[in-house]
Structures are given as C-alpha cells and as structure tokens.
C-alpha cells in the first residue's frame, strides 16, 4: 500500500530476487575485498570447522562443450548458507554466448528457507577479481608499475576495475587473440590501456600478469616473464585445460585459493606436476610467507566461500536500501 518493498523474514515466504543490474549497484570492491580476505583466512584455518566447503562438483554438458558446477558453502559463525549454480563453457573463437552463467541462492541456515535468489554474473566476476587483487597485494613486488591482462572478456574487465581501483599502476597492457576484442576492451574502460600484438609483447617487463583467457593450451611462457613478477592465473579451470607452460609453473612459487581445489581442477597444477606451496589464506593467517622477491603464481579456481560472502553482502546492502525507502 505504501509502495515500500516488503522484506520477508518468515519461513515459507517467497525469496527476494535480485537481478544483475541491482547486484552491480550494491556490490563494491572497497566493501567486498576486506570480506573476501577475511573469508580466505577462515577457510585456510585448518583447526576450525567454521567454513564448510566441499570441492566443486561438476556435471559435463558434452553437447554444449561445458559443465554445470555446484558450489555449496556454510559459514557457521557468520550464519551464512549459500550455493552457486554455475555453467561454464569452452567457447570457440567468435562465439557471442557467455562463457559463464551463474545464479546464487542464499538460505537461512536454521530453517533452510531460501532468503534470496540473485544473478551470479557480477558476483562471480567481482569476487574472482577481488581474490586476484588480494593475491597481488600480498605477493607482488613493492613498487610494481606495469600490469598486463591476457584476455578481454568479462573477467578481464572486472580484473582491470579491481586492480586499478585498489592498486596503482603506471601502465596497463592488454592482449587478446583477436585485436578487435582488445580494442573494444580499451574503449570500455576509463583509463589508458596499450593494445599489444602478442602475448610476449604484453608481458615482457610486466610486474603483474593476469591471465583470463578461454585457452585450453598454454599461452604464457615462462621465458617471457620477468623474474619476480606475479601472475594471477584465472582461466583454465579444468584438469586438462592450461594457460601457463611448464617452465613458468616450475620456476614460480605457486599459491592457490584452495590446495584441494587446485589439485582436483587445475590443469596448470596437475599437468606440470608442481606442488602448491600455500593457500592464499595461509599467507593471510601468517602461516606461510609471501615470497615477493620471487616469481609467484596465484592459481584461482574460485570458491563457494567467496560467493557466500559476496552474496551476503549484496543481501545486507539490499535490506539496508529497502528499509530506507
């Protein structure tokens, strides 16, 4: 009657539905990244059962060259229960279909009632970029000036936004297998970006390298990477997909969001035969060192706990906005 949104809290009431544009308006890196950092630390605290998160289970979509992933998480002390349904695909060059499509469900852990259903596109993009930004903050050399981004899709854009908002670089370079894709990316961002004609040109001398490609074969060679550079490797999320070659993987100190996840899903880790030195949460917790002076790789697979804290933040922001109306 008043025109104000009704906020349901009782079990059995319909869930709130939050679409992509509203998620984007409610989720910001300055609020999200500290929560992600705290969650990564909690996940890696092995003496705690505060975060329960199994390795992502997947169902192959063979006809469509993709997979359906299920990513449930329960954060006991925070009272957060969620799951993400995500379809991800190995799209061919020139495909106009999305490579990732996701929906996040937020539930009440006491009753099991579904509190919210929200579009997972912005959540997936921003929490992934946020975790990569944390890896760079912890592992890149002080005074890093040059950022290189390989790939120009949605993850490339979210990483550009997170890295340029939260960190400071004098130069940003971008490469894509189609130059027109790189040029379109440059037009979509607010700051100056240099389009490079090859991966080697993009990464030579770069201090931080982000790989967000659709590649299933290595595109980044260790011989091109400056000693002491930091690589945030985001693509290649299947055991037989790769972005990084053996020389880089074996030269670098390898970190991951989840050691168990990397050993189950990362072709870069599995096929190179390297060991994961530490989880990012181990560094946050002070259990393992951050080798800033060495070449480092952060292998990101994406975790349900990242989705959980992002979705909970969106829901909290939505409620605060609704009560003000």
């Amino acid at each position: 009657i008043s025109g104000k949104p009704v906020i349901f809290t009782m079990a059995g009431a319909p869930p709130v539905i939050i679409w992509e544009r509203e998620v984007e308006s409610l989720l910001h890196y300055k609020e999200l990244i500290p929560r992600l950092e705290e969650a990564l630390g909690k996940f890696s605290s092995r003496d705690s059962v505060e975060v329960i998160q199994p390795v992502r289970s997947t169902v192959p979509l063979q006809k469509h060259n993709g997979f359906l992933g299920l990513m449930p998480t329960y954060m006991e002390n925070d009272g957060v229960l969620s799951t993400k349904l995500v379809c991800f695909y190995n799209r061919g060059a020139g495909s106009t279909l999305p490579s990732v499509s996701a929906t996040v469900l937020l539930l009440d852990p006491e009753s099991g009632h579904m509190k919210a259903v929200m579009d997972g596109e912005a959540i997936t993009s921003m929490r992934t970029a946020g975790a990569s930004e944390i890896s760079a903050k912890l592992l890149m050399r002080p005074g890093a000036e040059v950022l290189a981004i390989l790939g120009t899709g949605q993850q490339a854009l979210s990483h550009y936004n997170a890295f340029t908002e939260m960190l400071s670089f004098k130069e940003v370079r971008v490469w894509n297998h189609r130059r027109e894709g790189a040029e379109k990316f440059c037009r979509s961002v607010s700051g100056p970006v240099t389009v490079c004609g090859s991966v080697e040109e993009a990464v030579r001398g770069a201090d931080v390298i982000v790989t967000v490609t659709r590649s299933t074969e290595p595109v980044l060679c260790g011989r091109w990477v400056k000693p002491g550079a930091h690589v945030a490797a985001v693509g290649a999320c299947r055991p037989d997909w790769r972005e990084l070659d053996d020389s880089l993987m074996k030269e670098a100190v390898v970190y991951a969001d989840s050691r168990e996840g990397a050993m189950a899903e990362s072709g870069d880790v599995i096929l190179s035969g390297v060991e994961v030195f530490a989880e990012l949460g181990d560094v946050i917790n002070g259990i393992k060192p951050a080798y800033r002076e060495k070449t480092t790789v952060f292998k990101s697979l994406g975790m349900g706990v990242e989705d959980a804290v992002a979705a909970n933040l969106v829901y909290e922001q939505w409620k605060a906005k609704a009560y003000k109306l």
Side-chain angles (χ1 to χ4, degrees):
I1 296 173
S2 65
K4 295 184 178 180
V6 178
I7 300 176
F8 296 101
T9 57
M10 58 186 295
V16 171
I17 299 177
I18 308 176
W19 299 111
E20 182 177 10
R21 287 187 179 180
E22 191 166 12
V23 172
E24 291 173 343
S25 72
L26 297 172
L27 200 56
H28 304 283
Y29 288 114
K30 287 184 178 180
E31 291 84 22
L32 174 61
I33 286 177
R35 294 195 182 202
L36 287 173
E37 190 164 346
E38 182 181 4
L40 289 167
K42 289 178 178 179
F43 173 79
S44 296
S45 297
R46 298 303 186 222
D47 58 347
S48 171
V49 294
E50 182 178 347
V51 176
I52 300 173
Q53 177 201 276
V55 173
R56 174 170 43 212
S57 60
T58 58
V59 176
L61 309 173
Q62 294 180 352
K63 181 179 178 180
H64 305 287
N65 204 18
F67 298 85
L68 166 65
L70 180 64
M71 303 172 66
T73 299
Y74 176 41
M75 303 180 71
E76 188 170 72
N77 290 349
D78 295 291
V80 179
L81 177 64
S82 75
T83 192
K84 184 169 78 175
L85 306 172
V86 55
C87 290
F88 52 99
Y89 304 87
N90 179 23
R91 302 292 191 195
S95 174
T96 58
L97 294 173
S99 57
V100 177
S101 181
T103 303
V104 180
L105 312 179
L106 192 64
L107 302 95
D108 180 272
E110 183 177 9
S111 67
H113 171 61
M114 192 181 303
K115 298 193 295 184
V117 179
M118 58 188 76
D119 185 277
E121 302 299 310
I123 287 174
T124 300
S125 295
M126 293 183 66
R127 61 77 152 153
T128 305
S132 294
E133 189 277 339
I134 293 167
S135 81
K137 180 178 66 176
L138 294 173
L139 300 173
M140 71 181 186
R141 283 185 171 182
E145 296 182 344
V146 180
L147 168 66
I149 301 175
L150 308 183
T152 58
Q154 181 58 43
Q155 282 290 357
L157 180 59
S158 64
H159 277 74
Y160 174 88
N161 290 335
F163 276 57
T164 56
E165 179 180 335
M166 304 300 291
L167 302 170
S168 178
F169 294 96
K170 292 183 178 179
E171 181 183 359
V172 180
R173 307 171 186 165
V174 66
W175 169 87
N176 189 54
H177 67 280
R178 293 185 301 113
R179 187 176 182 88
E180 57 266 33
E183 292 172 347
K184 181 180 178 182
F185 176 87
C186 291
R187 293 192 296 269
S188 72
V189 301
S190 57
V193 178
T194 301
V195 175
C196 297
S198 68
V199 174
E200 182 177 1
E201 180 187 349
V203 304
R204 283 283 187 187
D207 300 293
V208 178
I209 303 167
V210 175
T211 61
V212 280
T213 73
R214 298 178 179 181
S215 180
T216 58
E217 299 292 335
V219 294
L220 180 59
C221 298
R223 67 181 182 273
W224 301 332
V225 176
K226 168 183 172 180
H230 174 63
V231 179
V234 177
C237 58
R238 296 299 299 157
D240 56 346
W241 296 0
R242 297 195 65 173
E243 288 186 306
L244 318 182
D245 74 353
D246 280 354
S247 65
L248 175 55
M249 291 298 294
K250 291 178 179 179
E251 173 68 21
V253 181
V254 178
Y255 299 78
D257 44 13
S258 164
R259 179 182 281 102
E260 187 180 11
M263 295 305 298
E265 295 185 314
S266 170
D268 286 319
V269 171
I270 296 166
L271 298 177
S272 67
V274 303
E275 292 187 7
V276 175
F277 170 71
E279 293 177 343
L280 211 55
D282 294 328
V283 179
I284 293 167
N285 293 335
I287 304 301
K288 291 290 185 71
Y291 285 116
R292 290 178 178 268
E293 73 282 4
K294 297 183 179 182
T295 304
T296 53
V297 167
F298 168 59
K299 182 56 212 176
S300 170
L301 275 306
M303 299 197 300
V305 69
E306 298 167 358
D307 299 311
V309 296
N312 196 54
L313 176 57
V314 169
Y315 186 64
E316 288 178 358
Q317 299 283 62
W318 182 90
K319 285 197 298 182
K321 180 180 177 181
Y323 278 123
K324 288 179 181 178
L325 295 177

